[in-house]
Amino acid sequence: MEAIFTDLNEAQAEAVRKIDGPMLILAGAGSGKTKTIISRLAYLIDEIGIPPANTLTLTFTNKAAKEMRERALNMIQPTSYPPLLCTFHKFGLLFLKFHISRLGRKNNFVVIDTKDKTALIKKFNSEVPVPLIASEISRYKNSLLTPDEAYAQAELKNYKAIAKVYEQYEAHLVKNNLVDFDDLLALTYKLLNENEDLAKETSEKYQYIMIDEYQDTNELQFRLLQKLCHTHDNLCVVGDDDQSIYGWRGANIRNIIDFDKDFKNTHVVKLEKNYRSTEPILDAANALIEHNRNRLGKKLIATRGTGKEITTISSHDEGEEANKVANAISKLLNSGVRADDIAVLYRINALSRSLEEGLARHRVPYKLVGGLRFYDRAEIKDLISYLRVVTNVHDSFSLKRIINKPKRGLGKATIDKLELAAMDSAKSIFEYIDTSSNEELEALIKKKNTLTVKKLVKVIKAVAKTAQDGTYDFIDVLEDSFNIKSIYENVQDASERIANIDEFYGLFRDFIKQNPSTSLDEFLNELTLQSDQDQVEGESIYIMSIHAAKGLEFKHVFIIGLEEGFLPLIGDGSDTEEERRLAYVAITRAEEELTMSHVASRFYKGRRTELTKSRFFKETGLCEGSFILEKNTSFKKGDLIRHKIFGAGRILGVSKAGKDFKLKINFGGSHRDILSSFVERL
């Protein structure tokens, strides 16, 4: 027993010893939560004598599960039946293998991956963008909505079409004995909810349950846990409400905030001693997060003592910012700091473009984590292909990429026929279309497609003529002529992709402004040099979004883009408190040195925009200013909610109403205005 408690502080030891009843371990950043969970598991098995098979420990990622499992097996005595420590979805998979027969299905089912799901959806619908359908089907399943219920709730034509695809998709899965990723939890809950004996049996099997990263659970996971605790209340959850940053993908902060209301007589333990960061970094983090009202409250305490004060960088624009950051990183590398001890974080992926170019200029090697390099992103490749076709109409490779983007009704078979006919005629695809008569083309690809490609050739010629001027406004002509943004309007990550397009448009305008006599092909050549930059050999620093950085730590951290509108994001659907939690997560990634950067202007939505410094500078105490406490709502347009009388509904709009917020809600076709304090999110 002494070995288990040797390296634990008082709060950690308290959490380990408390074994019965519900417990919330509120674990601050860098406070040793994994050590606490593993020590508690070892205490239950080796000291209390709980059979390993009667414990269940769930987390969110395979990486976290693997690390925790290895540490647990090293800590507990060897056993024939090791404790079950896995992700939520792995648990669902194991559960369904034993019990899916109760749904009239065979247990030799196959789990389909994202590519399989996409291919299936394409079979059922070609009008609505596949990513949107896939996202909505996932949302329906996590909200436990059947296809019929989804159709009944749908108001817009597109969403009725999606509900119809959902019905066909589900029928196909059942018929072919397939399940998708969301089914692993949705079907598990369905079985437990519809079979009282199974719920009782499962709950009696798993007498001691622990959940990691509880702030990231969604409504379905919460309801599943309630079923697993059907016969007992020995549920220990570990999490940090101040690091709840996944509201956009369904995580419900209410689960951790109201844990003591959902599970009576909850024992709360706060892990506040931080073993990661120095005092100035934690002072800033604590000051910032205190501005959030919707939190349980805790304060990180530095155990590493004082350190270097936080550095701030002020720049005129994103180019200067990138140069300053790259220069500062070069100095660190030259002083002997390891490259992998350095990270640059940002809120919006579009900000990586100027940063990547600045690092390349200073020959600083970098790895982009959790995303594609700016010039490797599909939407940027599409744009560059449009520019190449406008510059050189005989570039058949680029023309093939964009000939049906946006959709023009040209299928693969039609494009293949055009390419083959062009090759037989020793012409480019463009030249073949341009020089062939309508009759010749109609014999090959039908009348409708002939009119489409002839029109496209005509537009390309007109835009190419404009391009010869190399004007600042050319990019507007390009967008107006081809409506490139419309390609991405209905995809799941539409706002991010369109932001990347706007970033590219801004890059073009800036290039023309600085090189007024340049030509379009010179601009493309410059891009090629940047996008095909040879990687410098050796260790690399990391650049990534704040979301991708969660769970990581670095000795030296740079946060860029700290302006109003970028961090925090402002506008429809944004949640100021979640933005503040994002900044808090970014700050607490730093162990020894933190640098926070802002600019006076940045290309935004294709135009240079004057910006103001982020409110988070004031709220961290890095510049003068008072607290800005503001009432804000966690509800946003599109959220599913429940009212105790009217039932489930979807929010159509949010507006201020005195000290509260008024929600316009669609309850199955009936629209009502309800104050936000009278509903809860589903």
Side-chain angles (χ1 to χ4, degrees):
M1 185 183 295
E2 288 182 6
I4 291 176
F5 292 98
T6 299
D7 295 325
L8 301 181
N9 63 38
E10 188 177 329
Q12 291 170 333
E14 179 187 350
V16 169
R17 287 193 176 95
K18 171 67 178 172
I19 62 168
D20 292 322
M23 177 165 62
L24 167 60
I25 303 176
L26 202 58
S31 62
K33 72 177 178 67
T34 302
K35 178 196 288 187
T36 305
I37 295 172
I38 298 307
S39 298
R40 187 173 187 272
L41 184 61
Y43 181 73
L44 282 168
I45 295 170
D46 288 348
E47 301 300 335
I48 303 301
I50 305 299
N54 291 141
T55 69
L56 174 63
T57 306
L58 299 178
T59 187
F60 277 84
T61 66
N62 289 321
K63 179 183 175 184
K66 181 175 182 290
E67 179 193 348
M68 291 171 68
R69 189 161 50 247
E70 289 174 352
R71 290 175 64 173
L73 293 177
N74 285 332
M75 198 167 187
I76 63 176
Q77 297 296 322
T79 173
S80 302
Y81 300 97
L84 182 54
L85 199 164
C86 60
T87 65
F88 271 94
H89 290 88
K90 179 63 179 292
F91 172 77
L93 174 63
L94 296 172
F95 184 85
L96 291 180
K97 285 290 183 182
F98 282 102
H99 304 295
I100 199 170
S101 59
R102 293 194 183 218
L103 295 174
R105 298 172 67 170
K106 297 178 181 178
N107 71 349
N108 63 341
F109 61 84
V110 173
V111 183
I112 63 171
D113 61 20
T114 304
K115 287 184 178 179
D116 296 328
K117 182 178 180 179
T118 299
L120 267 178
I121 291 170
K122 281 181 179 176
K123 285 175 57 177
F124 302 129
N125 187 289
S126 60
E127 299 301 318
V128 183
V130 170
L132 177 62
I133 298 176
S135 172
E136 283 300 294
I137 289 176
S138 180
R139 186 175 63 78
Y140 294 148
K141 291 193 175 190
N142 279 281
S143 301
L144 300 171
L145 291 176
T146 65
D148 287 343
E149 289 168 334
Y151 191 85
Q153 286 190 9
E155 289 187 323
L156 301 176
K157 180 181 177 182
N158 263 9
Y159 284 87
K160 287 190 180 295
I162 291 172
K164 185 65 178 174
V165 174
Y166 179 27
E167 181 182 34
Q168 296 170 301
Y169 172 79
E170 277 297 276
H172 181 90
L173 294 188
V174 173
K175 181 181 177 182
N176 293 278
N177 201 28
L178 305 172
V179 300
D180 65 18
F181 196 64
D182 297 304
D183 285 330
L184 296 176
L185 296 188
L187 294 180
T188 296
Y189 175 78
K190 180 180 173 68
L191 281 164
L192 292 172
N193 189 49
E194 295 178 355
N195 297 275
E196 176 78 15
D197 62 322
L198 183 58
K200 184 173 183 290
E201 175 193 324
T202 307
S203 182
E204 287 176 345
K205 175 178 174 60
Y206 299 113
Q207 285 287 318
Y208 290 90
I209 300 172
M210 287 193 287
I211 310 298
D212 188 25
E213 302 286 6
Y214 187 67
Q215 77 281 348
D216 294 336
T217 54
N218 61 20
E219 179 70 14
L220 175 56
Q221 288 158 336
F222 166 69
R223 292 169 70 171
L224 182 57
L225 287 175
Q226 286 183 312
K227 292 297 177 184
L228 292 175
C229 293
H230 184 64
T231 62
H232 63 81
D233 59 0
N234 298 327
L235 174 64
C236 170
V237 302
V238 186
D240 184 1
D241 55 323
D242 292 332
Q243 295 188 74
S244 177
I245 59 173
Y246 296 113
W248 51 276
R249 72 180 187 196
N252 191 348
I253 192 174
R254 187 210 72 83
N255 290 352
I256 191 167
I257 294 289
D258 292 340
F259 183 79
D260 61 340
K261 297 183 180 68
D262 297 324
F263 299 91
K264 301 302 180 186
N265 302 314
T266 292
H267 183 75
V268 179
V269 178
K270 295 183 180 181
L271 305 186
E272 297 178 296
K273 286 187 177 179
N274 177 285
Y275 298 94
R276 177 188 300 160
S277 308
T278 56
E279 203 168 88
I281 294 168
L282 296 184
D283 285 347
N286 286 327
L288 173 69
I289 206 63
E290 282 176 6
H291 288 73
N292 272 4
R293 293 184 173 184
N294 192 30
R295 65 188 293 257
L296 295 168
K298 67 180 179 315
K299 189 171 185 176
L300 297 178
I301 301 166
T303 61
R304 296 188 59 186
T306 58
K308 185 178 178 181
E309 293 297 323
I310 295 172
T311 301
T312 59
I313 295 178
S314 300
S315 305
H316 174 70
D317 58 25
E318 67 275 15
E320 184 181 343
E321 176 185 59
N323 283 330
K324 286 182 177 179
V325 169
N327 189 50
I329 291 172
S330 294
K331 288 180 179 178
L332 287 173
L333 295 174
N334 291 335
S335 71
V337 173
R338 286 172 53 93
D340 57 6
D341 283 333
I342 304 170
V344 187
L345 312 180
Y346 40 78
R347 171 67 176 92
I348 300 173
N349 284 324
L351 267 60
S352 78
R353 193 271 307 168
S354 57
L355 176 64
E356 288 178 58
E357 292 177 3
L359 293 171
R361 280 193 296 271
H362 284 73
R363 297 191 63 75
V364 173
Y366 66 89
K367 291 178 183 175
L368 181 61
V369 178
L372 291 170
R373 294 174 182 272
F374 185 80
Y375 294 108
D376 289 339
R377 291 166 183 159
E379 59 273 21
I380 302 304
K381 285 190 169 184
D382 290 343
L383 265 172
I384 292 173
S385 292
Y386 264 107
L387 292 182
R388 284 177 174 160
V389 169
V390 167
T391 306
N392 174 16
V393 295
H394 302 300
D395 183 347
S396 293
F397 179 81
S398 296
L399 182 61
K400 278 180 62 182
R401 183 179 179 96
I402 54 89
I403 196 169
N404 200 41
K405 292 183 179 180
K407 287 186 178 178
R408 300 183 175 97
L410 303 173
K412 184 178 183 299
T414 299
I415 297 169
D416 288 345
K417 286 178 183 178
L418 286 171
E419 183 177 28
L420 188 60
M423 289 174 63
D424 289 343
S425 303
K427 296 178 180 178
S428 67
I429 296 176
F430 182 96
E431 187 181 11
Y432 176 76
I433 296 170
D434 191 33
T435 58
S436 297
S437 67
N438 282 25
E439 290 75 17
E440 288 173 314
L441 286 172
E442 285 173 17
L444 182 70
I445 59 171
K446 299 181 181 178
K447 184 175 182 179
K448 181 184 175 184
N449 290 337
T450 296
L451 294 174
T452 298
V453 295
K454 281 289 190 179
K455 180 182 177 183
L456 178 61
V457 162
K458 183 178 179 182
V459 175
I460 290 172
K461 282 182 175 179
V463 176
K465 188 174 184 303
T466 307
Q468 293 172 1
D469 300 330
T471 63
Y472 182 85
D473 294 325
F474 163 73
I475 213 74
D476 292 321
V477 175
L478 184 79
E479 177 61 39
D480 291 344
S481 300
F482 297 113
N483 199 16
I484 299 167
K485 289 183 186 178
S486 68
I487 303 170
Y488 303 102
E489 281 177 352
N490 292 313
V491 299
Q492 187 177 1
D493 51 355
S495 59
E496 183 177 315
R497 288 177 180 265
I498 291 171
N500 289 335
I501 290 172
D502 285 330
E503 174 72 11
F504 185 90
Y505 288 168
L507 168 67
F508 176 84
R509 290 192 180 94
D510 195 43
F511 187 85
I512 297 299
K513 192 174 180 181
Q514 294 180 27
N515 307 276
S517 60
T518 195
S519 62
L520 188 55
D521 59 340
E522 287 173 325
F523 171 73
L524 284 169
N525 289 337
E526 187 70 20
L527 281 189
T528 302
L529 291 175
Q530 293 171 352
S531 56
D532 293 337
Q533 182 76 247
D534 288 336
Q535 287 300 294
V536 182
E537 292 185 3
E539 294 290 328
S540 301
I541 71 158
Y542 295 99
I543 68 173
M544 68 191 85
S545 70
I546 299 171
H547 283 103
K550 188 172 181 294
L552 303 177
E553 54 191 57
F554 304 91
K555 289 182 179 178
H556 305 269
V557 170
F558 295 77
I559 308 172
I560 66 169
L562 277 155
E563 303 97 30
E564 292 291 297
F566 287 89
L567 183 57
L569 279 181
I570 298 170
D572 185 35
S574 65
D575 178 348
T576 307
E577 293 215 350
E578 182 154 320
E579 293 297 306
R580 196 173 280 116
R581 292 193 292 269
L582 265 170
Y584 175 84
V585 166
I587 290 170
T588 54
R589 298 311 93 198
E591 298 175 0
E592 297 176 3
E593 292 188 20
L594 174 64
T595 301
M596 298 172 65
S597 171
H598 70 95
V599 300
S601 74
R602 196 182 290 278
F603 273 115
Y604 184 56
K605 295 188 176 178
R607 304 282 180 185
R608 181 155 294 283
T609 305
E610 298 300 314
L611 300 170
T612 57
K613 186 188 296 186
S614 171
R615 69 191 70 182
F616 297 156
F617 278 101
K618 288 183 180 179
E619 295 177 358
T620 52
L622 293 178
C623 65
E624 291 184 4
S626 57
F627 285 140
I628 307 173
L629 290 173
E630 52 198 23
K631 176 85 173 178
N632 56 81
T633 177
S634 60
F635 294 108
K636 57 185 181 295
K637 184 178 178 182
D639 281 352
L640 279 173
I641 58 86
R642 180 191 287 115
H643 186 273
K644 60 184 179 181
I645 294 175
F646 303 122
R650 186 178 296 283
I651 297 175
L652 303 177
V654 181
S655 59
K656 199 81 169 65
K659 294 183 178 180
D660 208 335
F661 284 85
K662 183 173 70 175
L663 309 177
K664 180 175 285 297
I665 306 171
N666 172 25
F667 293 101
S670 174
H671 294 186
R672 298 179 183 273
D673 290 336
I674 303 286
L675 292 176
S676 61
S677 52
F678 286 82
V679 302
E680 63 176 357
R681 186 190 275 119
L682 277 173

